[in-house]
Amino acid sequence: MTDWLSPETLHALAANDNDLEGIVRLPPPQRLLTKAAIYRLAIAYRALLPCSRRGFADLLSDIVWEYEGIVLDTNGRRIDQLGICVDTILRTDEDPSNSWLGGFLRFAVYQPKQAPQKRTLPRLELLYLALAIRHPTVAARVIA
């Protein structure tokens, strides 16, 4: 993560405050850590996922690293997309086949019975970020 946006960037953002294209802001944790959000996120990924679960980490890396816009955290601080380690967040060293993805995608069919645990927040933020980059209107509905 980098420091606050520079004054020049803030000025440019303020000048374009009616056009937020090219800016993705992560939602607050309390919006992602709900049964409804994980249910909607699972539905979106089940419908839009163009690869196997084994290629999922590569897909997310490509989406996040190739994004040329600005990513902001919930406090408005800029996040360096190249500093995001998808393998670390998804824990692919412990779960190389991404078996957790199968469980996550099942939430699209069988709604979760409880809210996601706080420890899953980095994964949910990563999933939201990739969805917001590729399909911003769908991502907006996830946290609505």
Side-chain angles (χ1 to χ4, degrees):
M1 228 181 294
T2 60
D3 292 331
W4 292 94
L5 294 173
S6 68
E8 295 81 19
T9 304
L10 286 173
H11 187 283
L13 290 174
N16 286 329
D17 63 356
N18 292 330
D19 182 17
L20 295 177
E21 189 171 322
I23 300 173
V24 174
R25 180 184 285 262
L26 292 176
Q30 61 268 25
R31 304 264 317 262
L32 276 178
L33 293 173
T34 65
K35 292 188 294 186
I38 196 167
Y39 174 61
R40 292 178 189 138
L41 199 58
I43 289 172
Y45 271 95
R46 189 171 179 103
L48 301 171
L49 192 63
C51 67
S52 69
R53 68 179 190 206
R54 293 176 195 240
F56 188 62
D58 293 333
L59 174 70
L60 291 178
S61 295
D62 291 345
I63 292 171
V64 171
W65 292 347
E66 292 175 5
Y67 182 59
E68 294 182 3
I70 296 171
V71 177
L72 302 175
D73 69 7
T74 59
N75 296 318
R77 286 181 273 216
R78 188 170 184 169
I79 297 172
D80 178 18
Q81 298 95 280
L82 296 178
I84 296 173
C85 183
V86 172
D87 288 319
T88 300
I89 293 171
L90 298 179
R91 298 184 190 148
T92 55
D93 57 334
E94 299 168 18
D95 182 18
S97 66
N98 281 330
S99 61
W100 70 268
L101 181 61
F104 167 74
L105 292 174
R106 274 193 290 279
F107 288 139
V109 178
Y110 304 104
Q111 292 186 25
K113 294 185 174 151
Q114 62 186 31
Q117 296 178 5
K118 194 170 187 166
R119 65 186 171 104
T120 64
L121 184 61
R123 285 183 179 179
L124 296 176
E125 287 177 333
L126 176 63
L127 292 171
Y128 179 85
L129 176 60
L131 187 64
I133 289 170
R134 282 279 170 96
H135 305 284
T137 55
V138 175
R141 292 180 183 177
V142 165
I143 58 168

